[in-house]
Amino acid sequence: MESIIKTDKIRKYFHNRKRGHVIKACDDISLDLQQGKTLGLVGESGCGKTTVGRIIIRLLYPDSGTVLFKGINLTELSWKRIRPLRKNFQMIFQDSSAAFNPRMRVYDTLKEAIRLYGSFKAGEIREEIHNLTFRVNLHRGLLNHFVGNLSGGELKRLDIARVLSIHPEFIIADEPLSLLDMSIQSQIVNLLLSVQQEENTTILFISHDLKMVRMLSHTVAVMYGGRIVEYALKSSITENPLHPYTTYLWNPKSSDLFIRFFESGCVYKNSCRLFHKKGFPLICSEKQPKLLEYEKGHYAACHFAGMSKARHVLAGYGGYNGKPG
Ligand SMILES: Nc1ncnc2c1ncn2[C@@H]1O[C@H](COP(=O)(O)OP(=O)(O)O)[C@@H](O)[C@H]1O
Ligand code: SF4
Ligand SMILES: [Mg+2]
């Protein structure tokens, strides 16, 4: 299967000069997005998900690392050479209102999007707009309304219609469900699934909710503190999570711990139940674990991810005598 997007060790640090510290928003992130598939990128707010998305479509430049789009190195291209490629990758924003002018009418907004990359005659534009509103289930009566008067769900549909009008090969959906009611959320999930089926679109689906990610994704990357801590097929992450943070994400109601503050070592240590249960092993507080393959195609970054009873130990059922991975 063809790789549409491949990132290799992308890194982005933000320097907060006032406070004198560095935010490692994205640290050595390597991802592979296959044509027609969805990669779910999941993690708590502030862990770096949006930064990864913005770097992939060159809204942000990485400190190091590369992003390949169908083998073309986007990080090497000038703005001028990126522009014609932009048609191929589009982003659905968390806050769709930020993507539009609230004082423009819905019809004109879609017309502008269609004209940006396509050449249509006047009659064809009208037909295309009607097709789009039908596809995203946006009531035609809204075409004359101002964008600023749309509800959250309508705005999200408009954003998806805008993206669809461009027929991109790759879509980043950044927390597209977070501001919507439950009933609208499932409609949007179904809409994304049908778009993927019809156009063989590749999707990077970003969310803080692992259960939501599971509905859409073929592969899942779990992020914490700017790093990928687990990366596997959805079935493996569901049936056999290897990293303590992934286990926590499956059941976030069990309140996470705040242990004590260690500066170096594993990014997850200050919240890690396993670190606590094992009596604060030095290896965790001194060394960042590498992302290693524990089962075929199933990667985790935890010194103890390889232990067979990891989940039971986390739940407090048993002890562990194995060696660190
Ligand atoms: N332009 C920026 N300048 C400084 N810090 C930033 C900037 N963008 C993001 N950050 C910081 O980087 C971290 C990751 O942010 P972000 O990628 O938005 O996370 P997420 O999407 O997972 O919530 C956060 O601590 C955020 O405050
Ligand atoms: S390496 Fe240690 S601190 Fe990090 S996730 Fe694994 S057990 Fe927890
Ligand atoms: Mg974000």
Side-chain angles (χ1 to χ4, degrees):
M1 204 173 292
E2 194 189 359
S3 255
I4 294 293
I5 293 281
K6 208 168 184 168
T7 73
D8 185 34
K9 294 190 175 156
I10 49 171
R11 178 177 290 183
K12 182 76 190 173
Y13 291 177
F14 293 108
H15 299 268
N16 188 325
R17 293 190 209 291
K18 264 192 193 160
R19 295 193 182 166
H21 70 247
V22 175
I23 299 164
K24 297 182 176 180
C26 155
D27 214 358
D28 284 351
I29 304 288
S30 300
L31 299 170
D32 192 347
L33 286 108
Q34 307 277 315
Q35 182 162 39
K37 302 285 182 201
T38 300
L39 172 71
L41 185 60
V42 64
E44 65 181 15
S45 174
C47 72
K49 305 179 296 297
T50 298
T51 304
V52 172
R54 285 164 62 86
I55 288 174
I56 288 178
I57 57 171
R58 265 292 294 272
L59 289 177
L60 200 62
Y61 200 78
D63 297 339
S64 59
T66 52
V67 178
L68 301 184
F69 168 69
K70 292 170 120 181
I72 304 167
N73 188 347
L74 297 183
T75 36
E76 276 181 352
L77 296 186
S78 63
W79 279 104
K80 211 172 154 191
R81 289 184 61 204
I82 284 271
R83 222 183 113 68
L85 288 177
R86 283 216 176 277
K87 178 183 183 326
N88 300 302
F89 31 86
Q90 291 292 316
M91 193 152 178
I92 299 167
F93 294 93
Q94 177 171 7
D95 176 9
S96 291
S97 63
F100 299 113
N101 177 350
R103 286 191 288 268
M104 257 175 98
R105 292 191 193 270
V106 173
Y107 186 90
D108 296 328
T109 303
L110 285 174
K111 189 162 112 182
E112 200 172 73
I114 289 170
R115 274 187 171 164
L116 193 61
Y117 294 106
S119 50
F120 289 90
K121 293 180 190 137
E124 291 170 344
I125 287 186
R126 179 167 288 275
E127 200 185 320
E128 177 72 359
I129 288 176
H130 285 169
N131 280 343
L132 284 168
T133 50
F134 176 75
R135 276 183 83 186
V136 302
N137 202 11
L138 190 69
H139 195 274
R140 235 186 244 188
L142 293 171
L143 285 172
N144 275 329
H145 287 219
F146 287 106
V147 170
N149 292 338
L150 298 185
S151 69
E154 290 161 353
L155 207 53
K156 194 60 69 187
R157 287 174 205 283
L158 176 62
D159 202 6
I160 296 176
R162 172 190 66 79
V163 166
L164 290 186
S165 73
I166 301 164
H167 299 283
E169 288 186 60
F170 170 56
I171 294 176
I172 296 184
D174 188 359
E175 304 262 13
L177 312 174
S178 64
L179 302 171
L180 304 175
D181 295 342
M182 281 292 278
S183 60
I184 315 266
Q185 284 183 358
S186 54
Q187 291 170 18
I188 301 293
V189 166
N190 287 332
L191 180 57
L192 288 171
L193 286 170
S194 68
V195 167
Q196 184 166 57
Q197 255 178 7
E198 285 164 26
E199 306 210 2
N200 205 22
T201 319
T202 307
I203 300 178
L204 176 63
F205 181 73
I206 296 178
S207 175
H208 61 276
D209 184 340
L210 185 49
K211 288 176 185 137
M212 203 60 89
V213 163
R214 185 176 57 172
M215 290 204 281
L216 267 153
S217 309
H218 301 91
T219 310
V220 177
V222 181
M223 224 178 144
Y224 190 91
R227 285 185 164 265
I228 302 291
V229 296
E230 188 158 0
Y231 187 22
L233 284 176
K234 173 179 67 178
S235 52
S236 307
I237 289 263
T238 308
E239 287 154 25
N240 186 28
L242 293 177
H243 196 280
Y245 180 52
T246 314
T247 313
Y248 165 73
L249 284 180
W250 279 127
N251 189 16
K253 278 189 202 122
S254 63
S255 71
D256 214 8
L257 292 175
F258 183 77
I259 302 173
R260 34 191 241 230
F261 195 76
F262 292 89
E263 283 224 352
S264 55
C266 171
V267 283
Y268 189 52
K269 66 198 168 296
N270 290 318
S271 304
C272 181
R273 213 163 266 274
L274 188 55
F275 181 46
H276 185 260
K277 272 197 180 297
K278 294 180 77 61
F280 310 109
L282 273 181
I283 190 161
C284 296
S285 54
E286 288 183 345
K287 200 172 158 198
Q288 168 61 41
K290 287 189 178 143
L291 192 63
L292 300 176
E293 190 171 23
Y294 285 88
E295 289 159 18
K296 192 165 169 23
H298 191 160
Y299 299 81
C302 168
H303 294 302
F304 299 96
M307 52 198 250
S308 56
K309 297 268 186 280
R311 278 184 295 163
H312 303 294
V313 173
L314 282 168
Y317 298 135
Y320 166 69
N321 301 315
K323 289 189 181 136

